[in-house]
Amino acid sequence: MTVSVLVPSSLAREATDKREATRKLGYVARAATVFRVDRLTVYPDPGGQRHHDDGFVETVLRYAATPPHLRKEVWGTRDELEYAGVLPPLRVATQTGSGSEGSGSLRQGIVTEVGADGRVRVNCGLQHPVSLPVPDGTELVKGERVSVRVSSREPVRAKLVDEPQPGYVVDTTDLDTAVTRTDAGLTIASSRHGDCLCPRQLDELAAETGEREYTVAFGAPERGLPAVLGISPEAVSEDGHDETGRFDLWLNTVPNQGSDVVRTEEALFATLACLNLME
């Protein structure tokens, strides 16, 4: 069960400077976190890029998804991250733990040292790196990211576990590949030219998807999905389908919008909030 969001490499095209572009991407990262998106895919849109290209969008979104205690070690100093300080904290729910009770907290760590005794030192946001035994059949190298289950801080009790990291992951691929993945589920294009979403449709979509598995794609400011795909808005029919067959459905999740333009980060919150009601 996977929820995927597709955003273009031209996402920050209207931002006049790097600071504003970074702030905009912070809202995208927040939306992905709030609504438990599993995968955030940046697809190329070379025809729409004006500023901040060459991997800027992907880098900032990856940085935002990195736990604060690992950012300096993982990213160091990069031009793309000059204004990373304006990014809002994500506060991923499962990254803060339950202390010494229950199963403890799942944290992301990075291997800082590999010993010859079957142990590694891991920085996982505690006061100091901790020495942990490596599970049988597992090989780790310095710099590798790992999952650590911390059951107690004083004294420290932790272990390496084979569990997925909390929060979203970022990747890059072209749009056609992204919507044909085996785990793409129901594919949705978010556009003002789509079929206006209503409560009845949510019930129908919930019955159709069955599980929490869908992919939703967004366009860029002043350059919606029809422009990205090279099709006319008229190619999207009244019932929310298009002649290219790329998507199962085109949806307008902000009907009767009061602004001429709905920004991509605003569309993310509106669309994901609606789709979240399917569950």
Side-chain angles (χ1 to χ4, degrees), residues 4 20 35 49 52 60 66 90 97 119 121 127 130 151 170 203 206 245 252 259 261 267:
S4 299
E20 182 57 30
F35 295 106
Q49 291 178 180
H52 322 299
V60 174
T66 304
L90 300 188
R119 302 179 71 88
R121 293 185 67 81
Q127 189 172 5
V130 293
S151 56
V170 180
D203 292 337
N252 178 3
S259 174
V261 176

Side-chain angles (χ1 to χ4, degrees), residues 80-139:
E80 301 98 314
L81 302 174
E82 180 180 1
Y83 292 104
V86 305
L87 290 170
L90 300 188
R91 298 182 63 84
V92 179
T94 53
Q95 285 181 341
T96 57
S98 54
S100 59
E101 299 180 359
S103 60
S105 61
L106 180 66
R107 304 178 67 86
Q108 188 175 145
I110 189 168
V111 177
T112 60
E113 183 181 342
V114 178
D117 55 352
R119 302 179 71 88
V120 292
R121 293 185 67 81
V122 177
N123 173 9
C124 57
L126 301 179
Q127 189 172 5
H128 303 287
V130 293
S131 176
L132 301 174
V134 179
D136 293 340
T138 302
E139 293 185 7

